[in-house]
Amino acid sequence: MMRYAKSVCRWPLAWMILALPLMVGCPGEVPSGGNGAAGGNGETKRIVILTNGDDPFWDACEAGAFKAEEELGLAEDGLAVTFERADFTVKGQVDKLKQYALQSDIVALGISVYKPDSKQIADELRKLRERGVKVVTIDGDIDREQFRDARFAYLGTDNIVGGRELGRATAAVLPEGGQFAFFVGSTSAANAIARMQGFIEGAGPAFEEVTRLEDGGDRPKARKNVQDALDQYPEIDALVGIWAYNTPQIVAVVEDQNIRDKTKVSCFDAAEISIREMKDGNVDVMVVQNPYQMGHVGVRLLKAMVEENQEFIDEMYPDYSQEGEGDIYRTELRVVVPDEGSPITPDLFEEGTTFMKLSEFEEWLAERNLTSS
């Protein structure tokens, strides 16, 4: 919403003065409906991106979304991007979806679903679609078995593959195997389930999961979970962060307990703090998604859907179908390791995964004016 407000505030002052009589001359006027036709009556229509919560991961997604807004010249087409963050609760997302249903300027929504098996979220998404709002899921999909019809398509990481890559990397730094624990915001989120399952597959039978603990997005609880796991299972060999903010909490506890020499740290995503900690030798591997791409491509797709640009939609989903993987668009995946001393090598990973040393990854970020991914 803040970004939308900024776009309004960029209007030249003189224009604002000239427009003021017209604006005050229409008190209480309700914007017209007609979702799907962008800017036809001069009213700016909004493409909304709604996250599952507030996490550094979403900073890059937001940057990508607004870059797409700029590159595509959305303002000229009567469109604007709004980027909103939920609060890691079903209620938080449902409340926002109900608000969107009352706002006639919203024509498209990209949502990272917090709880994929939530009937409430699925019902609200269906209501938006029935009103003509274009809906896709980004990063976190709805339960495809039950609620696939609640959105048009999904775009984001193949989380099973991402989990496997993290498991393979962890096996490389612990060739004898060992015990590990997962730390995540929600153990029932679709991306979390897939990543943890993938990790188990990639790490192999020499590894044993001792616990998986969720924190609901609460940072103090995330840190306490790490402490509790180490108290209960002091022989843990690897601590695995599934969501971006888990890594700094893991590193802090490892430093407090001075156990870095016997504990490996493997994680998803590259929060700014996590990058710094890898540089300082406190993180062994990061499997990094491309949230910038998710935001950028997500806005491009939603714009195409609003404008019924079937050619663009077909390019992204050439075999579109709400069965199999016809409605799934995969975004990029990277494995990032320290510049020196890592036993992790590029040959361990699938063909579509990019392998980078930390300094290479930092250059990639700098080229996009990003500090995290």
Side-chain angles (χ1 to χ4, degrees), residues 166 169-170 265-267 278 283-287 335-338 344:
L166 191 63
T170 303
V265 177
S266 303
C267 62
M278 175 174 276
V283 175
D284 294 285
V285 59
M286 299 184 293
V287 168
V335 173
V336 179
V337 303
I344 302 169

Side-chain angles (χ1 to χ4, degrees), residues 230-277:
L230 287 167
D231 288 344
Q232 189 171 0
Y233 306 100
E235 301 305 318
I236 286 178
D237 301 286
L239 303 171
V240 185
I242 298 298
W243 285 4
Y245 64 85
N246 290 118
T247 310
Q249 313 309 321
I250 292 170
V251 169
V253 175
V254 169
E255 288 181 338
D256 289 346
Q257 299 193 10
N258 194 25
I259 56 172
R260 175 63 179 142
D261 59 335
K262 64 174 186 177
T263 307
K264 302 302 181 185
V265 177
S266 303
C267 62
F268 261 91
D269 303 322
E272 190 172 1
I273 297 176
S274 304
I275 295 170
R276 188 166 63 242
E277 294 294 351

Side-chain angles (χ1 to χ4, degrees), residues 39-54:
N41 59 1
E43 176 188 339
T44 299
K45 302 290 187 180
R46 284 191 292 154
I47 295 173
V48 177
I49 305 295
L50 175 63
T51 74
N52 53 10
D54 190 7

Side-chain angles (χ1 to χ4, degrees), residues 100-313:
Y100 299 159
L102 299 174
Q103 296 170 340
S104 63
D105 63 327
I106 295 177
V107 293
L109 170 69
I111 178 174
S112 177
V113 176
Y114 177 62
K115 289 275 189 183
D117 58 351
S118 169
K119 184 175 182 302
Q120 286 179 286
I121 293 175
D123 287 344
E124 295 304 322
L125 293 179
R126 287 194 184 103
K127 290 176 185 175
L128 286 169
R129 294 195 74 189
E130 288 169 1
R131 292 184 65 250
V133 177
K134 310 303 182 186
V135 177
V136 300
T137 49
I138 297 174
D139 175 60
D141 201 5
I142 201 78
D143 184 318
R144 293 173 196 155
E145 296 297 321
Q146 301 183 70
F147 308 127
R148 201 164 194 153
D149 64 306
R151 83 326 185 231
F152 171 75
Y154 167 79
L155 69 93
T157 301
D158 185 327
N159 285 294
I160 278 281
V161 173
R164 287 183 192 135
E165 304 295 47
L166 191 63
R168 290 167 182 145
T170 303
V173 296
L174 284 170
E176 302 298 323
Q179 297 181 335
F180 65 89
F182 289 125
F183 304 95
V184 65
S186 169
T187 55
S188 61
N191 59 11
I193 293 170
R195 290 173 195 178
M196 291 188 288
Q197 180 58 38
F199 182 94
I200 292 168
E201 294 173 8
F207 283 82
E208 176 192 3
E209 177 186 343
V210 295
T211 189
R212 58 180 64 185
L213 299 173
E214 67 178 14
D215 51 60
D218 181 271
R219 271 58 165 180
K221 182 171 175 55
R223 184 169 300 196
K224 186 175 184 305
N225 281 347
V226 181
Q227 293 166 339
D228 290 347
L230 287 167
D231 288 344
Q232 189 171 0
Y233 306 100
E235 301 305 318
I236 286 178
D237 301 286
L239 303 171
V240 185
I242 298 298
W243 285 4
Y245 64 85
N246 290 118
T247 310
Q249 313 309 321
I250 292 170
V251 169
V253 175
V254 169
E255 288 181 338
D256 289 346
Q257 299 193 10
N258 194 25
I259 56 172
R260 175 63 179 142
D261 59 335
K262 64 174 186 177
T263 307
K264 302 302 181 185
V265 177
S266 303
C267 62
F268 261 91
D269 303 322
E272 190 172 1
I273 297 176
S274 304
I275 295 170
R276 188 166 63 242
E277 294 294 351
M278 175 174 276
K279 193 176 294 185
D280 291 342
N282 297 319
V283 175
D284 294 285
V285 59
M286 299 184 293
V287 168
V288 183
Q289 306 173 81
N290 192 338
Y292 182 92
Q293 182 190 22
M294 293 180 200
H296 194 275
V297 175
V299 168
R300 292 176 65 89
L301 171 62
L302 290 167
K303 177 178 185 289
M305 292 172 67
V306 169
E307 296 178 345
E308 299 182 350
N309 182 348
Q310 195 60 42
E311 182 178 356
F312 182 89
I313 297 169

Side-chain angles (χ1 to χ4, degrees), residues 334-353:
R334 287 174 172 74
V335 173
V336 179
V337 303
D339 281 347
E340 303 291 340
S342 176
I344 302 169
T345 51
D347 58 294
L348 298 173
F349 306 107
E350 297 189 11
E351 186 177 350
T353 299

